Amino acid sequence: MFCHNESFNSNTGSRSSSIFLSRSGRCVCSLERVARIWKMASAETAAEHERILRELESTDTNCIGPTLRSVYDGQEHGLFMDKLEGRIRNHDREIEKMCNHHFQGFVDSITELLKVRGEAQKLKCQVTETNQKLQNDGKELLTSMDELRQCRLQQRNIATTIDKLTHCLPVLEMYSKLQEQMRAKRYYPALRTLELLEENCLPQAGSYRFCGIMSENISRLRTHIRDVSMSDLKDFLESIRKHSDKIGETAMKQAQVQIARDNAVTSQQQSESGRRIRKETFSGTEVDRTGSNPFSEKGSRILDVEDEEEDEIPGAHDLVDFSPVYRCLHIYTVLHETLEGYRSYFNQIVGFFVVEDHILHTTQGLVNRAYVEELWELALSKTIAALRTHSSYCTDPDLILDLKNLIVLFADTLQGYGFPVNQLFDMLLEMRDQYGEILLKKWNQSFRQILDQDNYSPIPVASPEEYQRIAGQFPFQDPELDKMPFPKKLPFSEFVPKVYSQLKEFIYACLKYSEDLHLSSTEIDDMIRKSTNLLLTRTLSHCLQYAIKKKNVGLAELVQIIINTTHLEQCCHYLEEFISNITNVPSDTINATKLYGTSTFKDARHTAEEEIYTNLNQKIDQFLQLADYDWTAAQGGGQASDYLSDLIAFLCSTFAVFTHLPGKVAQTACMSACKHLSTSLLQLLLEADVRQVSMGALQQFNVDVKECERFARAGPVPGFQGDTLLLAFIDLRQLLDLFTQWDWSTYLADYGRPTCKYLRVNPHMALALLEKMKDTSRKNNMFAQFRKNERDKQKLIDTVVKQLKNLIATNQA
């Protein structure tokens, strides 16, 4: 039983054990799986905590809120706190290590600072003492400087005062002289003084109050002088009227004495004989001839000499002081340049002949027609002579125009009374030429002012109203420009509408003079067109040439001048229509004068084009002066020289401005610039001062020429066919290819053939350049890098030189 039980128990135990083992195995597997899961979770948690710690260490304190929130949202914040404390301890240990490492240096620095403190205190005391000395010394300097400033200020004020007085004293002296002349009644010199004072002295003095007062007094003084001179003349005439009987009596007495003397001389001559009789007879004849006029000065002097015993009888003219007449004549000659003077002159003449005509027609026998006509002819000749003389001094076109209107009224008035006035109208036609010359001088100043004040830039137009305003001044039509939105720019500058407006004003001025001259429409039209042609070909042409030739005119201004003159030339037919409209003479009338003055704009444009070519070449020369080649360089660079890059950039920007020019002008300018550049580069390479040229220098030069060819190939100006622009550099290209490729065999074999590869290479140029390359006077010659073959290369150069010389000699023979 016991055994059985034992057996039973053992069986039972074995089963229990197996069950237990199986269960424990499953538990172990579960634990291992849990351990692995926990380990993985811990690793992820640790990585996450490490990441959070890095963010805390590297992130700005203002942005750590989301980071901390992620810690507390998780389940391991306690573990994170432990890790955070561990990280803090690590940082504390590192800080402690760093402090311990730098502690001795910090202590040494403090010790040195303590030592320096005493020296710093001493330095501070020295600086303070030095500053105090400087301040004390500076006070004297400041005092001297202030005195010097005051002295300089006084000197400047004195200099300014002297300068102002230098300009004012002549005015005051001249005005004082004027006052003395007025007190002495020397009115004619006073007028000259007034003229000098008004035209020279007052403008130089400045705008002072006394100058203004003087200017206001000038007109009053002129009027006073005129009135005084006229008053003296009237007093003279009144005195002559009162004393005319005494003058006549004296003249008759003088004549009686003279006759008695003549009779006595005749009797004496008859009593003498021989040669003395003939001699004295001759002398008596001379006396008779010279002294027969009782009013002559010679007669009175002879009378006084021959009869000293008798009482002197004064001459009739000695009784009268004629100075008021001469003074009034001179004064009115100076003051006649006013319209009122002319009007008064004409009124007196008209009044006189109106009276004569009335007497002629209302009386019989008192005057006749022949007398009046003879009197009119005499007056007309005197009047025309006076008008020609006085009007020739006039320089004011408005005064000439007013005088013309006054003369026309004068002529029409007298013609209404039956007097012939054709000579007056002929004189007016003569004055028309003078009027035209005065207008040309005036318009010359206007054109000069317009050209000087122009900015030579296209006119910006911001609104349709502004566009219409300009279109009203100048007839311009461009459908393409009309389609463009505002703001936009007109192709021409301000001087185009201004010059066109001035041309129309000139035509109006010419028309004003032609009115009321009893001329036909054809004659008026012909006169206006001839005057306009003179204005274009002489005045405007000179002004344009002056504007083009000025020193400060650049390429942009010259381009704008070409554009402007093109538009002005195109508008000339509008001027012809304008003249036809105001004269009512069609422009296509037979024998009608044409506006050939349009050639003015062509000439100006051609001059501007030549100036563009010249200026471009000068600019190119200025850039080439900056070229600094190392002619002995061992190797060339891979980029173009700086000066050439700047030159190409300048040419590109310049030709971009040429887009508005006529195609041929832009193309010619571009071709001219490229040819000049090519020629200048070739001259630079063959210059006598360049005594040696290495292959490296040629390579760099070749790079620069390629840059020029790239510019030409890019087509800076449209219109060239193919590689036409490249032909400007063909001479350089073939010469450089010959040397860089060392293709002498081809050159020498094909020379002279039309299909020669190096047709443009002159043997003289090739020889000159080759002579520069064979120069071995310096160490860094072209074959320095081939030292083993230097002799062979030198021999090759010598051989080529000999062949070139033979080739030249053969062609010359």
Side-chain angles (χ1 to χ4, degrees), residues 785-810:
Q785 66 272 29
F786 305 114
R787 296 186 185 277
K788 294 181 181 180
N789 300 325
E790 186 172 347
R791 292 183 180 178
D792 296 336
K793 294 293 184 180
Q794 188 63 43
K795 290 181 180 179
L796 179 60
I797 291 179
D798 293 338
T799 302
V800 175
V801 168
K802 291 179 181 179
Q803 292 176 347
L804 282 174
K805 290 181 178 179
N806 292 333
L807 182 64
I808 293 172
T810 302

Side-chain angles (χ1 to χ4, degrees), residues 475-491:
F476 173 70
Q477 295 178 355
D478 189 347
E480 296 297 329
L481 186 63
D482 293 339
K483 297 177 183 178
M484 295 175 61
F486 290 95
K488 51 189 174 183
K489 289 185 177 181
L490 301 177

Side-chain angles (χ1 to χ4, degrees), residues 116-149:
V116 170
R117 181 171 62 181
E119 300 296 330
Q121 189 64 31
K122 293 179 182 179
L123 181 61
K124 180 180 178 182
C125 294
Q126 292 177 359
V127 171
T128 304
E129 183 178 357
T130 303
N131 180 56
Q132 187 62 36
K133 291 181 180 179
L134 181 63
Q135 294 297 329
N136 294 333
D137 295 339
K139 289 180 180 178
E140 298 180 1
L141 179 62
L142 289 174
T143 303
S144 301
M145 290 295 294
D146 186 61
E147 293 176 355
L148 178 62
R149 183 180 61 81

Side-chain angles (χ1 to χ4, degrees), residues 464-476:
E465 293 77 14
E466 190 173 358
Y467 182 82
Q468 291 298 326
R469 178 183 63 81
I470 297 175
Q473 297 176 354
F474 179 72
F476 173 70

Side-chain angles (χ1 to χ4, degrees), residues 216-394:
E216 294 175 357
N217 288 336
I218 285 177
S219 60
R220 290 196 291 269
L221 287 173
R222 280 203 176 96
T223 304
H224 175 69
I225 291 172
R226 183 185 62 192
D227 295 341
V228 168
S229 63
M230 182 57 69
S231 176
D232 291 345
L233 179 62
K234 291 179 179 178
D235 293 342
F236 166 78
L237 295 176
E238 184 178 357
S239 176
I240 290 295
R241 179 67 185 86
K242 290 179 180 179
H243 300 90
S244 59
D245 57 345
K246 180 65 176 177
I247 296 171
E249 180 184 356
T250 303
M252 293 181 71
K253 285 183 179 180
Q254 189 176 11
Q256 183 180 4
V257 171
Q258 185 63 38
I259 292 171
R261 289 302 175 192
D262 291 341
N263 293 332
V265 171
T266 302
S267 301
Q268 186 177 2
Q269 289 175 350
Q270 292 176 356
S271 64
E272 294 180 354
S273 61
R275 186 175 178 180
R276 183 172 180 80
I277 294 176
R278 289 193 298 271
K279 182 178 179 182
E280 292 197 4
T281 302
F282 177 77
S283 177
T285 306
E286 186 119 348
V287 170
D288 191 42
R289 258 203 318 269
T290 58
S292 60
N293 184 2
F295 297 98
S296 67
E297 293 183 2
K298 288 185 179 181
S300 62
R301 282 200 298 270
I302 293 173
L303 177 63
D304 295 339
V305 171
E306 293 182 351
D307 191 6
E308 296 179 355
E309 297 179 357
E310 296 187 9
D311 296 336
E312 274 189 27
I313 300 176
H317 59 277
D318 296 330
L319 300 177
V320 182
D321 180 14
F322 289 92
S323 58
V325 178
Y326 304 139
R327 185 165 52 245
C328 186
L329 174 64
H330 290 311
I331 288 173
Y332 269 78
T333 300
V334 175
L335 295 178
H336 204 270
E337 283 297 318
T338 60
L339 192 63
E340 290 300 323
Y342 287 112
R343 182 176 286 109
S344 175
Y345 181 68
F346 290 144
N347 289 340
Q348 293 176 12
I349 296 174
V350 171
F352 175 82
F353 282 98
V354 166
V355 172
E356 291 293 332
D357 182 75
H358 182 74
I359 293 175
L360 175 66
H361 288 88
T362 57
T363 62
Q364 292 183 357
L366 190 57
V367 293
N368 54 31
R369 170 62 64 181
Y371 169 77
V372 175
E373 290 179 353
E374 181 182 358
L375 196 61
W376 168 244
E377 289 294 332
L378 177 63
L380 184 61
S381 62
K382 297 289 185 181
T383 302
I384 291 177
L387 290 175
R388 282 174 177 166
T389 301
H390 292 288
S391 63
S392 62
Y393 297 107
C394 184

Side-chain angles (χ1 to χ4, degrees), residues 7-59:
S7 174
F8 174 78
N9 290 335
S10 62
N11 294 332
T12 305
S14 61
R15 288 198 301 271
S16 300
S17 298
S18 60
I19 293 171
F20 176 75
L21 289 172
S22 62
R23 289 180 177 178
S24 62
R26 288 196 299 272
C27 290
V28 169
C29 293
S30 300
L31 289 174
E32 291 177 352
R33 189 180 300 110
V34 170
R36 285 196 301 271
I37 293 172
W38 180 81
K39 189 174 182 179
M40 291 174 62
S42 298
E44 293 177 356
T45 302
E48 179 65 19
H49 289 172
E50 188 66 26
R51 183 187 64 78
I52 293 172
L53 288 174
R54 285 197 302 271
E55 289 185 0
L56 290 175
E57 290 174 344
S58 60
T59 307

